[in-house]
Amino acid sequence: MSHSPLKMNHRTRNKKLARERIEILMERAEEVFPSDKAKADRYAALAKKLAMRYTLKFPNRWKRRVCKKCHSFLVPGENCKTRIHKGRVINTCLDCGNIVRLHINNL
């Protein structure tokens, strides 16, 4: 996307802005999690909502840090547990109990 800002249509501009906002929200969620978990969950939910609204893929670096069921911000050891069992990584959200199983080959 090497368009000049003047030639970008509004959809492209909105998607670019949404990607930036998702990144900012997730970074803020990571910063604020130790002091205010509710605010971190809200930031993660807003980021997920932005991705859905603008039909964007959620960034890979943040994809497994948000629960797919309750949209809470996940921090291993704090509100999610991660286990390795029979060639799979098993992530369990301790807020809602949602379990995500991933083959180690697919990581």
Side-chain angles (χ1 to χ4, degrees), residues 7 23 39 44 57 60 62 65 89-90 92-93 102 104:
K7 291 187 179 183
E23 196 65 36
K39 194 177 280 189
K57 282 182 70 174
N60 284 334
W62 298 113
R65 299 290 303 270
V89 175
I90 302 169
T92 306
C93 175
L102 304 161
I104 291 178

Side-chain angles (χ1 to χ4, degrees), residues 47-65:
K48 198 76 170 160
K49 195 173 186 178
L50 269 175
M52 287 189 278
R53 177 179 293 154
Y54 291 101
T55 59
L56 298 171
K57 282 182 70 174
F58 207 68
N60 284 334
R61 85 181 260 226
W62 298 113
K63 191 175 285 188
R64 292 187 182 92
R65 299 290 303 270

Side-chain angles (χ1 to χ4, degrees), residues 64 84 86-89 101-107:
R64 292 187 182 92
I84 298 175
K86 294 184 180 177
R88 294 181 184 189
V89 175
R101 295 175 186 90
L102 304 161
H103 288 284
I104 291 178
N105 302 354
N106 295 346
L107 297 177

Side-chain angles (χ1 to χ4, degrees), residues 25 28-46 70-75 79 95:
L25 283 167
R28 295 263 169 85
E30 192 170 45
E31 289 171 11
V32 79
F33 182 84
S35 60
D36 191 358
K37 184 187 172 321
K39 194 177 280 189
D41 290 347
R42 177 69 178 148
Y43 289 159
L46 285 172
C70 67
H71 300 290
S72 64
F73 185 71
L74 299 177
V75 177
N79 65 343
D95 293 337

